[in-house]
């Protein structure tokens, strides 16, 4: 039986196939589950003008938010190197814009993963409201 997290991880691994990463050859796939139980996948999208690259995490968030969802339970993150990799600082700030208790599931494989809460990975985000 797959745990709930394993279901999310398997969708993140599936999303690797849509990664467009010809420059870094580092494919990232994610699956984001909302509080309303919808799942949005994302993959990194690179650009010849490198800095225009969009990380997989922000792709999934943009899909969800533009679909009217803005409260998230968890995001599973996988890559094609079968290693755990943490979300970049820009994505941490971006995700902090929404609920900071979202679970970040870093998958090495379907069964080997680590779980953090976003706020522990990014405790001091920039905000205009302090
Ligand atoms: N990347 C992501 O998609 N998510 C991360 O959390 C870190 C990095 C992508 C950006 C780029 O396409 C490739 O990984 C190598 O940096």
């Amino acid at each position: 039986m797959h745990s709930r997290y394993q279901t999310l991880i398997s969708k993140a691994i599936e999303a690797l196939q849509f990664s467009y990463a010809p420059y870094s050859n580092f494919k990232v796939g994610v699956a984001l589950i909302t509080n309303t139980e919808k799942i949005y996948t994302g993959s990194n999208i690179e650009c010849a003008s490198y800095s225009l690259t969009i990380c997989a995490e922000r792709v999934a968030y943009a899909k969800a938010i533009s679909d009217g969802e803005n409260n998230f339970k968890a995001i599973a993150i996988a890559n094609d190197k079968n290693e755990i990799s943490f979300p970049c600082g820009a994505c941490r700030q971006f995700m902090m814009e929404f609920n900071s208790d979202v679970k970040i599931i870093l998958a090495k494989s379907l069964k080997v993963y680590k779980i953090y809460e976003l706020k522990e990975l990014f405790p001091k985000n920039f905000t205009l409201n302090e």
Side-chain angles (χ1 to χ4, degrees), residues 10 16 31 33-34 42 58 63-64 70 80 94 96 107 119 126:
S10 73
L16 286 171
I33 184 162
T34 68
R58 275 177 288 152
K63 285 169 73 175
N70 56 19
D80 67 341
F94 191 90
M96 281 298 282
K119 59 175 173 278
F126 172 71

Side-chain angles (χ1 to χ4, degrees), residues 18 109-110 115 126:
F18 302 120
S109 65
L110 194 56
I115 304 177
F126 172 71

Side-chain angles (χ1 to χ4, degrees), residues 35-107:
N35 275 17
T36 57
E37 301 279 320
K38 288 188 191 160
I39 295 179
Y40 294 87
T41 57
S43 53
N44 55 331
I45 307 169
E46 297 189 344
C47 181
S49 181
Y50 300 156
S51 66
L52 298 181
T53 291
I54 314 172
C55 294
E57 292 86 337
R58 275 177 288 152
V59 169
Y61 265 69
K63 285 169 73 175
I65 292 155
S66 60
D67 204 22
E69 301 290 335
N70 56 19
N71 210 299
F72 305 108
K73 276 187 181 160
I75 181 168
I77 305 172
N79 62 63
D80 67 341
K81 306 291 179 270
N82 292 348
E83 290 296 341
I84 275 172
S85 83
F86 285 84
C88 78
C91 285
R92 293 182 205 195
Q93 173 76 39
F94 191 90
M95 294 188 285
M96 281 298 282
E97 188 70 26
F98 306 95
N99 57 301
S100 64
D101 58 348
V102 62
K103 303 277 186 304
I104 308 286
I105 303 157
L106 305 178

